[in-house]
């Protein structure tokens, strides 16, 4: 049956293209690709021959209509981008909307996404997070964006290009203060690296060591501001919340001690008597 397939492709390691993705790419009538040269290399590697149409930021308005018309006429289309999941800081969102409006079925063939992969290896809380994509290069929009998320307690995920990394780290430090950050570089590739550090140390490091490759920045969320000194009960609740978010009880007690001023040992001891609440989902 005619439809649009959203096909996730590797963010580096070709071994991450799923067998189902290979099967779908080999069986559709045509493939809409962000950069047909990049996709051709992927298809050649897997021995797949398919007609390609380009679908990228600057032609998506008229090209989207053409693609939907072809699907409505009975064809099956797969959309892919240069790497990762379509629609995530990549073309696709607009096409899915057009398909939804036209009643065209959309099926996901999920693959890796740099954002979620970087979050998973960050060592920062993963139970609640916000994907912030790329910061604008325009100073005003950039400042407004950072001001908007400054007090968000969720872990924040940003994409960044290497030549803008240092400026972005400086802006994050200025807007957020010295928070923890995990920088995931070249995920799934030969020079994969995860640097778990603080914003000020990251600024120092990359001022000395010019960044190369692709980066995802995973930044600690805002600490909950407590206007009055927290009670012991509140501090123990914080330990429980951090533990429920995936931290070990010992790390949760350490973090809560840092945030509340209570002694880690005291919080740990009291937390042992309180059962960790079950996580949703
Ligand atoms: N749609 C893609 C996804 O789902 O991950 C993201 C596309 S976006 C245009 C490209 C950005 O993703 C890069 O600038 C970088 O921030 C991040 N990225 C992609 N591949 C990466 C990798 N292997 N390691 C680290 N970051 C990566």
């Amino acid at each position: 049956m005619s439809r649009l397939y959203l096909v996730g492709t590797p963010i580096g390691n070709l071994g991450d293209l799923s067998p189902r993705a290979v099967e779908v790419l080999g069986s559709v009538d045509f493939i809409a690709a962000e950069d047909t040269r990049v996709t051709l290399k992927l298809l050649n590697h897997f021995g797949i021959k398919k007609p390609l149409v380009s679908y990228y930021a600057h032609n998506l308005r008229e090209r989207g209509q053409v693609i939907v018309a072809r699907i409505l006429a009975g064809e099956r289309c797969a959309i892919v981008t240069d790497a990762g999941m379509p629609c995530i800081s990549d073309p696709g969102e607009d096409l899915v909307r057009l398909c939804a409006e036209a009643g065209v079925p959309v099926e996901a063939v999920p693959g890796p996404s740099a954002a979620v992969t970087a979050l998973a290896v960050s060592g920062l809380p993963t139970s609640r997070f916000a994907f912030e994509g790329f910061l604008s290069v325009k100073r005003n929009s950039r400042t407004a964006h950072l001001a908007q998320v400054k007090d968000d307690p969720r872990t924040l995920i940003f994409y960044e290009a290497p030549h803008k990394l240092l400026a972005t780290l400086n802006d994050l430090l200025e807007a957020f203060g010295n928070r923890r950050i995990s920088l995931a570089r070249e995920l799934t590739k030969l020079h994969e690296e995860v640097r778990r550090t603080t914003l000020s140390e990251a600024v120092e490091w990359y001022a000395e060591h010019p960044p190369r490759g692709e980066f995802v920045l995973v930044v600690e969320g805002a600490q909950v501001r407590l206007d009055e000194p927290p009670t012991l009960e509140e501090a123990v609740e914080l330990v429980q919340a951090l533990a429920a978010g995936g931290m070990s009880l010992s790390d949760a007690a350490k973090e809560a001690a840092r945030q509340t001023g209570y002694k880690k040992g005291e919080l740990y001891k009291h937390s042992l008597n309180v059962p960790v609440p079950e996580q949703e989902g």
Side-chain angles (χ1 to χ4, degrees):
M1 195 186 153
S2 70
R3 64 191 52 220
L4 174 73
Y5 293 92
L6 298 179
V7 180
T9 58
I11 56 171
N13 190 324
L14 292 183
D16 292 336
L17 190 73
S18 74
R20 182 166 165 242
V22 173
E23 191 258 308
V24 166
L25 291 174
S27 70
V28 291
D29 297 295
F30 68 103
I31 297 171
E34 181 184 12
D35 183 335
T36 52
R37 292 161 304 181
V38 172
T39 299
L40 197 57
K41 277 194 205 147
L42 181 78
L43 296 183
N44 285 342
H45 182 87
F46 287 91
I48 298 169
K49 280 201 171 69
K50 281 291 153 185
L52 293 171
V53 298
S54 81
Y55 179 80
Y56 66 107
H58 299 292
N59 75 356
L60 55 80
R61 206 161 277 178
E62 21 57 76
R63 193 52 65 81
Q65 304 282 358
V66 176
I67 292 171
V68 172
R70 286 183 65 173
I71 302 175
L72 283 171
E75 291 188 273
R76 294 161 80 233
C77 172
I79 176 172
V80 296
T81 60
D82 293 353
M85 273 309 283
C87 307
I88 309 301
S89 290
D90 258 348
E93 174 187 330
D94 211 58
L95 189 57
V96 173
R97 182 182 54 75
L98 286 179
C99 285
E101 283 167 10
V104 167
V106 177
E107 202 172 307
V109 182
S113 183
V116 171
T117 310
L119 174 69
V121 294
S122 69
L124 290 168
T126 56
S127 56
R128 294 186 67 204
F129 62 90
F131 173 63
E132 298 299 323
F134 289 95
L135 286 172
S136 168
V137 283
K138 291 189 190 128
R139 173 59 46 196
N140 285 351
S141 326
R142 201 176 168 84
T143 310
H145 187 161
L146 292 176
Q148 216 171 51
V149 295
K150 179 176 174 288
D151 296 321
D152 193 329
R154 295 174 295 179
T155 300
L156 302 172
I157 305 173
F158 298 91
Y159 283 160
E160 194 47 285
H163 63 285
K164 296 192 210 136
L165 181 75
L166 190 56
T168 293
L169 290 172
N170 270 305
D171 288 349
L172 291 172
L173 179 60
E174 194 183 316
F176 298 163
N178 194 20
R179 292 192 194 168
R180 290 186 291 163
I181 180 171
S182 169
L183 298 105
R185 183 174 85 93
E186 296 286 270
L187 287 164
T188 78
K189 301 184 194 174
L190 186 63
H191 298 292
E192 171 169 335
E193 177 187 56
V194 179
R195 186 170 290 277
R196 301 180 187 91
T197 180
T198 61
L199 280 167
S200 66
E201 280 173 10
V203 165
E204 273 176 38
W205 175 265
Y206 288 107
E208 293 293 318
H209 305 84
R212 291 215 192 114
E214 299 199 88
F215 283 85
V216 181
L217 316 182
V218 184
V219 185
E220 178 179 31
Q223 283 171 22
V224 181
R225 277 230 311 276
L226 299 161
D227 296 324
E228 293 195 3
T231 62
L232 180 60
E233 196 183 21
E234 284 168 339
V236 171
E237 273 170 23
L238 180 58
V239 177
Q240 293 295 311
L242 292 169
M247 274 192 183
S248 70
L249 197 61
S250 168
D251 284 348
K254 189 172 167 196
E255 178 58 22
R258 191 176 72 81
Q259 290 187 31
T260 61
Y262 283 94
K263 292 228 160 59
K264 177 193 163 185
E266 186 180 14
L267 294 181
Y268 186 83
K269 195 180 77 196
H270 280 86
S271 302
L272 284 176
N273 301 325
V274 187
V276 177
E278 276 188 21
Q279 281 183 267
E280 285 173 28

